[in-house]
Amino acid sequence: MTKGAKQDAPRRRGRRPGGTDTRAALLAAAREIFVEQGYDGATVRAIAARAQVDAAMVNHWFGGKEGLFAEAVLKLPFNPQDVVERVLVGDVDQLGERIVRTFVTIWDNSAGGMFTALVRSIAGHEQASNALRDFLIKHIMARIIAKVAPDRHEFRATLVASQLVGMGMVRYVARFEPLASADADTMVAAVAPTLQRYITGTIS
Amino acid sequence: MTKGAKQDAPRRRGRRPGGTDTRAALLAAAREIFVEQGYDGATVRAIAARAQVDAAMVNHWFGGKEGLFAEAVLKLPFNPQDVVERVLVGDVDQLGERIVRTFVTIWDNSAGGMFTALVRSIAGHEQASNALRDFLIKHIMARIIAKVAPDRHEFRATLVASQLVGMGMVRYVARFEPLASADADTMVAAVAPTLQRYITGTIS
DNA sequence: CAAGTTATTCAACACGGCATGAATTCTGTG
DNA sequence: CACAGAATTCATGCCGTGTTGAATAACTTG
């Protein structure tokens, strides 16, 4: 007890032996902590600690906190074009369904953190808000809606975005139950008709 | 140029003459800055500066930054019970319509800032997320839905909350156009049917 | 008008943030 | 195997944060 095990031995100085990938470790740790704390709340020290590495490595590998955020959060973990194409395949009447399922699936797995990190960083990081808009509106919704919606494309796109963002907020950021734990099928059944109407239905 | 006009003269020390309401000035400034920056981003010094007052007054009047936040942002600017009663008057088939109009109206006027401040503070302030949930779900939606929804009250409540939160995010926080500038009637026409379905419609 | 209370400012503190540069250890190439 | 370069840690610098206590000025009460 008094001296503790050798678990947190003061790390040796200088280059580490073996092919340790510090850069990747930092990226992983950064994603976790930016998700939990947002840009302002996350400290370089905390990220480095979780990666079991000195804080100075953030500067060495990414040029600073800013660069780490850009690389870990702002960079998309998948190609938007793929999502668009994948969603567009099939009957237009079931577009809402495919969109909900796609987003719930993607966000439930890897990319949900990116959404949370962006929202939690909106206050302190200028680009966060822009990144969210570019991602949802520009890269995804605009392309889908331009092909199938009858009119008022921009308004329809922001309507769809509003329901998607709301779903993300409630499900991943604020975690209101029981929606936060509802399975994909339940979410699709509930939300798909909304999106379908926003895209192809009458909105006035 | 060199010495500047007497505009930012070093304020005199000691109590100010006249019935100046420093407390109110701080509250007003705090609302502005918490809305713009969130809890973490807002600094006591910046708030005091906007109120044209020394930073120490925050401690004097509110016991600290925390107390100021509680008083300026967490305290509701209206009585939830009133909103519930006002919304419930009328045909159940137009509930969605009244809800959208009520929220857009309230938020477009005074309380939109509170929503933005809460969202921007979710990362750094524990209570922010709870406040949002208590406000939307507990105080508002639960009471409405318990009286008119056929089943699955909690799930329906969170669904409604998701669309309202999404609308707030897109309209007030992230400001996606053209939704951000759409007038109340347009929003009602677009969003009311969604809420109506979440409340009384079939969601599975 | 004297004394006490309240409001206000100023200066300073203690803390924690990010970034930097020197010192140290490993890897790779000839 | 020597040596250049890259990776890593440590110590430190500098800045901005919220909070505190003393000093000063105005108001309030007798």
Side-chain angles (χ1 to χ4, degrees):
Chain A
M1 231 61 111
T2 40
K3 205 55 186 301
K6 63 199 64 171
Q7 49 188 9
D8 53 350
R11 222 175 312 287
R12 266 178 74 215
R13 215 164 162 170
R15 186 171 185 157
R16 287 180 178 182
T20 57
D21 196 347
T22 298
R23 211 187 118 96
L26 273 175
L27 276 176
R31 286 203 191 92
E32 290 183 22
I33 301 214
F34 279 133
V35 168
E36 296 165 9
Q37 312 274 357
Y39 183 80
D40 276 341
T43 75
V44 170
R45 285 169 158 89
I47 294 171
R50 183 160 310 189
Q52 310 202 49
V53 143
D54 189 88
M57 300 313 293
V58 169
N59 276 304
H60 187 269
W61 287 106
F62 303 95
K65 185 184 185 180
E66 189 71 18
L68 179 55
F69 186 76
E71 203 78 12
V73 176
L74 258 31
K75 181 162 286 184
L76 292 178
F78 57 88
N79 182 4
Q81 187 66 33
D82 294 345
V83 177
V84 172
E85 286 170 1
R86 174 177 152 193
V87 159
L88 278 177
V89 174
D91 193 351
V92 175
D93 294 342
Q94 285 149 358
L95 235 184
E97 201 165 315
R98 291 195 297 276
I99 293 179
V100 176
R101 192 174 299 280
T102 300
F103 274 77
V104 169
T105 304
I106 290 183
W107 283 353
D108 275 1
N109 297 337
S110 53
M114 173 199 156
F115 181 86
T116 306
L118 283 182
V119 170
R120 293 216 147 110
S121 304
I122 278 188
H125 200 276
E126 294 295 328
Q127 291 178 295
S129 184
N130 297 336
L132 193 58
R133 175 177 50 241
D134 287 355
F135 167 65
L136 271 179
I137 307 273
K138 215 165 141 190
H139 293 326
I140 309 278
M141 293 320 303
R143 298 186 189 177
I144 295 177
I145 285 184
K147 305 202 173 184
V148 300
D151 59 357
R152 302 217 272 170
H153 294 169
E154 295 89 355
F155 187 46
R156 290 178 187 273
T158 46
L159 280 175
V160 174
S162 81
Q163 177 60 88
L164 286 180
V165 167
M167 187 181 79
M169 286 288 299
V170 167
R171 190 172 172 89
Y172 305 106
V173 182
R175 295 203 152 82
F176 295 170
E177 296 292 356
L179 195 154
S181 303
D183 60 25
D185 289 335
T186 307
M187 292 305 300
V188 169
V191 176
T194 297
L195 298 195
Q196 191 65 45
R197 196 180 128 264
Y198 287 161
I199 297 171
T200 59
T202 153
I203 53 173
S204 57
Chain B
M1 228 67 108
T2 42
K3 206 56 188 297
K6 64 198 63 172
Q7 49 188 6
D8 56 349
R11 222 177 310 289
R12 269 180 69 217
R13 212 162 164 174
R15 185 171 187 155
R16 287 180 178 180
T20 58
D21 197 346
T22 297
R23 210 187 119 96
L26 273 177
L27 275 176
R31 285 202 192 90
E32 291 183 19
I33 300 212
F34 279 133
V35 167
E36 296 166 8
Q37 312 274 358
Y39 182 80
D40 277 340
T43 75
V44 168
R45 285 173 159 90
I47 293 171
R50 183 160 309 188
Q52 309 202 51
V53 143
D54 189 88
M57 302 311 296
V58 169
N59 278 300
H60 187 269
W61 287 108
F62 302 96
K65 186 185 185 180
E66 190 70 20
L68 178 55
F69 186 76
E71 203 79 13
V73 176
L74 259 30
K75 182 163 284 183
L76 292 177
F78 57 87
N79 183 4
Q81 188 66 33
D82 294 346
V83 177
V84 173
E85 286 171 0
R86 173 177 154 196
V87 160
L88 277 177
V89 173
D91 194 350
V92 176
D93 294 341
Q94 286 151 358
L95 235 183
E97 200 165 316
R98 291 196 297 275
I99 292 178
V100 176
R101 192 175 299 280
T102 300
F103 273 77
V104 169
T105 304
I106 290 183
W107 282 353
D108 275 0
N109 296 339
S110 51
M114 171 199 156
F115 181 86
T116 305
L118 283 182
V119 170
R120 292 214 148 109
S121 305
I122 278 188
H125 200 275
E126 293 296 327
Q127 290 179 297
S129 185
N130 297 335
L132 193 60
R133 175 177 50 240
D134 287 356
F135 167 65
L136 271 179
I137 307 272
K138 216 165 140 188
H139 294 325
I140 308 278
M141 293 320 303
R143 298 186 188 177
I144 294 176
I145 285 185
K147 302 200 176 185
V148 300
D151 58 358
R152 302 216 273 172
H153 294 169
E154 294 90 354
F155 186 47
R156 289 178 186 273
T158 47
L159 278 174
V160 174
S162 80
Q163 176 59 89
L164 286 179
V165 167
M167 186 182 79
M169 286 287 299
V170 167
R171 191 173 171 89
Y172 304 107
V173 181
R175 293 199 154 79
F176 295 170
E177 295 292 356
L179 194 154
S181 303
D183 61 25
D185 289 335
T186 306
M187 292 305 300
V188 169
V191 175
T194 297
L195 298 195
Q196 190 67 46
R197 196 180 128 264
Y198 287 162
I199 298 172
T200 59
T202 153
I203 55 174
S204 58

